[in-house]
Amino acid sequence: MSMQELKQKAWIYLENGTFLEANSFGANGTVVGEIVFNVSMSGYQEIMSDPSYAGQFVTFTAPEIGNVGVNAEDMESSAAHAKGMIVRKYQERYSNFRAEGSLADFLKEQNVMGICDIDTRYITKMLRTEGAMMMIASTEVSDKAELKKILETSPRIEDVNYIEQVSTKVSYKHTQSVYNDREFKYDEAPTPQANIVVLDFGVKTNILNELVAANIGVEVIPSSFDGDELVRRYNAKEIDGVFLSNGPGDPLVLKNEQREIKKLIDAKVPMFGICLGHQLLSIAHGYDTYKLKFGHHGGNQPVKNIKTGLVEITAQNHNYNVPENITEVAEVTHVNLFDNTIEGLKYNDAPIFSVQHHPESSPGPKESRYIFNEFLSLIKR
């Protein structure tokens, strides 16, 4: 069966009134989500399996998607969490020695929509001008008025606590690591120089790998954690610090998490946060986040390290940012050179620091991996 025969018609309606017709190569159905664009030139499987994309349709600016297939090793979590992907051209005929199947089959297995044969340049320019917005895509409904009605009566991304969907339900130890950019599993985990708890708001696998590679013992726990219990464990020297992971959605929705993190701050537990973790630390300190117009999504974002003066090319995936007045309680350590937004903080009166970008990459450049070793240095001090 040809690729054309495998495709079905798909219809898209955006909340600004844009109505588009395309083809579908993934799961069928009718799905509502927020649409964003990602400028990475590779790594579509890692992006689709990143829990931070829960609730979103990802428009890829790379014109050819699917050409390297998919494989189990490139998963950043146990499933694909994005609502769907939108691409200019889907390539069913993949060619890569690591490939274990096609992207289309993967999306169908994961019940994720794939939309192709559409002008992604037009969509990206529109989002850049008007900002990220809600949309609906369907292989079942072609009527514009009906799609509009469904979209208007559906919850917005800021109304949903996606953390509850993507966080682990049980605690577990993580011992897999990275070595010379090749993943491996220890037969027996090495003796760590420090032990931490990872608060799982939607953590990527490669973040855990990098923590272990920095000689840190990793225990991952659900987002429904008890701050008092973690403070007790820290005072009893059962753990040396806490890591706050990346994750999806609006951080202002996470009231319980904010309250429990505040207990850790008050107890001066050493902490390190990435992306959503970075934002939650800001909110718990009393500084609410705000939403960027279209967010930062991709693997080519220049960030300046204020301490060294060096520019790091970073991987990014966030729609929200910490406010400028957080300098009342923290020192800015990193700045995004595209828009001068804050990318890193070191808090003044506690052993806490955080970054907005993704030092673990996957996909993306690896220039910021040193940050995991800085966390080890912090908790050893």
Side-chain angles (χ1 to χ4, degrees), residues 164-183:
E164 295 176 345
Q165 300 179 22
V166 302
S167 178
T168 183
K169 300 299 184 286
V170 295
S171 301
Y172 64 93
K173 300 279 189 179
H174 183 90
T175 58
Q176 182 171 307
S177 185
V178 289
Y179 180 73
N180 290 337
D181 297 332
R182 289 180 176 270
E183 292 185 352

Side-chain angles (χ1 to χ4, degrees), residues 55 108 193 233 253 288 353:
K108 290 170 184 173
Q193 296 183 35
R233 293 184 64 187
V253 172
D288 286 354
F353 76 101

Side-chain angles (χ1 to χ4, degrees), residues 174 192-196 208 210-218 372-373 375-376 379:
H174 183 90
Q193 296 183 35
N195 292 293
I196 66 163
L208 303 178
E210 291 286 358
L211 287 168
V212 174
N215 278 339
I216 298 173
V218 172
F372 293 98
N373 290 320
F375 185 36
L376 176 63
I379 53 185

Side-chain angles (χ1 to χ4, degrees), residues 104-144:
D105 288 341
F106 169 75
L107 293 180
K108 290 170 184 173
E109 291 169 2
Q110 298 288 322
N111 196 32
V112 173
M113 294 196 78
I115 297 167
C116 63
D117 302 327
I118 192 168
D119 189 346
T120 51
R121 180 179 171 84
Y122 165 76
I123 293 174
T124 301
K125 290 173 70 175
M126 176 175 59
L127 296 177
R128 187 184 63 188
T129 302
E130 301 186 35
M133 64 186 77
M134 296 298 292
M135 64 159 277
I136 182 172
S138 180
T139 58
E140 306 163 324
V141 181
S142 60
D143 182 71
K144 177 181 177 180

